[in-house]
C-alpha cells in the first residue's frame, strides 16, 4: 500500500477520530438538537459525512467494475480541487439526495456511528489496497461539484468535508 495514498488515508482517519471523540462527549439532546430550522444538528452533520463516504465507496466500486470507463489523470482535476476548496469556504450548498439529512435520513447515535464508520473505513482501506496500484493516475471519482478526482484527491476531499462541517 503506497504512501501517496496511505498518508491522506491516515489524516482522514485522524479527523474522524477527533470528530467522534468530540461527539461522544455531548449530551444526546445537544447531539440531536438543530440550532435553527435551516441547520443540521451535530448528529445530522456527522451522519451526513458517514453517508457521503458510504455512497462514494459504492460509486467507486461500481465505476471500477467498468475499468475502461475510468479516464486517466488530467491536470484539470487539480484545478477542480482548488475550486471546490473555495466553494466549500464561501458557499453553502444543498447536499445531494441520499446524503441530504433533510430527506428523512435516520441519525445514528455516536457509538453506532463509530462502529459503522469504522467498518466502512476498513472496507475503503481494503478497496484502496486492491485498486490503487492499477488506478493511481486515473480519475476514479466524480464529485458533484469538483468533478473527476483521483483516489488521492478523493481522500483529500473526505478530509476537507469533515473540516467543512466541523
Amino acid at each position: 500500500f503506497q504512501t501517496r495514498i496511505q498518508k491522506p488515508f491516515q489524516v482522514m482517519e485522524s479527523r474522524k477520530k477527533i470528530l467522534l471523540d468530540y461527539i461522544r462527549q455531548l449530551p444526546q439532546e445537544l447531539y440531536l438538537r438543530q440550532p435553527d430550522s435551516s441547520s443540521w444538528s451535530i448528529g445530522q452533520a456527522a451522519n451526513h459525512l458517514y453517508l457521503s463516504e458510504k455512497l462514494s465507496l459504492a460509486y467507486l466500486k461500481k465505476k471500477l467494475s467498468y475499468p475502461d470507463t475510468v479516464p486517466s489523470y488530467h491536470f484539470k482535476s487539480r484545478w477542480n480541487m482548488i475550486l471546490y476548496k473555495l466553494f466549500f469556504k464561501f458557499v453553502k450548498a444543498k447536499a445531494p439526495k441520499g446524503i441530504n439529512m433533510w430527506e428523512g435520513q435516520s441519525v445514528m447515535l455516536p457509538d453506532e456511528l463509530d462502529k459503522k464508520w469504522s467498518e466502512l473505513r476498513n472496507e475503503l482501506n481494503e478497496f484502496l489496497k486492491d485498486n490503487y496500484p492499477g488506478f493511481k493516475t486515473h480519475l476514479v471519482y466524480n464529485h458533484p461539484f469538483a468533478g473527476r478526482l483521483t483516489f488521492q484527491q478523493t481522500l483529500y476531499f473526505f478530509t476537507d468535508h469533515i473540516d467543512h462541517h466541523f
Side-chain angles (χ1 to χ4, degrees):
F1 194 48
Q2 299 179 6
T3 54
R4 284 199 73 156
I5 200 80
Q6 190 175 27
K7 183 172 169 120
F9 189 87
Q10 290 169 343
V11 170
M12 185 178 72
E13 268 296 290
S14 70
R15 292 295 203 299
K16 180 187 76 131
K17 182 183 179 332
I18 291 167
L19 168 64
L20 288 166
D21 288 348
Y22 167 72
I23 64 176
R24 267 201 194 88
Q25 296 175 18
L26 298 174
Q28 185 173 334
E29 186 273 326
L30 181 58
Y31 176 75
L32 297 172
R33 181 177 12 129
Q34 294 173 246
D36 57 61
S37 62
S38 65
S39 299
W40 288 341
S41 69
I42 292 168
Q44 285 174 307
N47 278 258
H48 161 80
L49 294 167
Y50 162 76
L51 289 172
S52 174
E53 290 183 25
K54 181 179 178 180
L55 292 178
S56 295
L57 179 56
Y59 172 86
L60 288 167
K61 287 179 175 182
K62 182 178 179 181
K63 189 70 178 170
L64 267 58
S65 69
Y66 301 97
D68 295 344
T69 66
V70 181
S72 295
Y73 177 79
H74 189 274
F75 74 91
K76 183 180 175 191
S77 74
R78 185 173 295 271
W79 176 246
N80 289 349
M81 289 287 293
I82 295 166
L83 290 178
Y84 99 74
K85 284 179 181 276
L86 288 171
F87 183 84
F88 263 4
K89 195 172 207 90
F90 298 111
V91 177
K92 185 175 181 179
K94 184 177 178 182
K97 190 176 174 101
I99 60 171
N100 187 336
M101 299 310 290
W102 297 123
E103 304 286 330
Q105 304 290 350
S106 62
V107 176
M108 292 181 278
L109 295 176
D111 288 339
E112 182 183 6
L113 178 62
D114 183 15
K115 181 180 181 286
K116 295 279 191 185
W117 209 348
S118 293
E119 290 169 358
L120 178 66
R121 287 284 179 89
N122 288 336
E123 187 179 349
L124 175 60
N125 192 36
E126 289 304 311
F127 181 80
L128 290 169
K129 284 179 184 177
D130 292 344
N131 291 283
Y132 180 73
F135 290 94
K136 61 185 165 192
T137 60
H138 289 75
L139 301 172
V140 295
Y141 182 66
N142 193 13
H143 183 272
F145 304 113
R148 297 208 169 271
L149 304 173
T150 64
F151 274 130
Q152 186 180 37
Q153 291 170 329
T154 301
L155 298 182
Y156 288 137
F157 159 69
F158 289 153
T159 300
D160 291 344
H161 197 199
I162 292 172
D163 293 346
H164 172 72
H165 285 287
F166 289 92

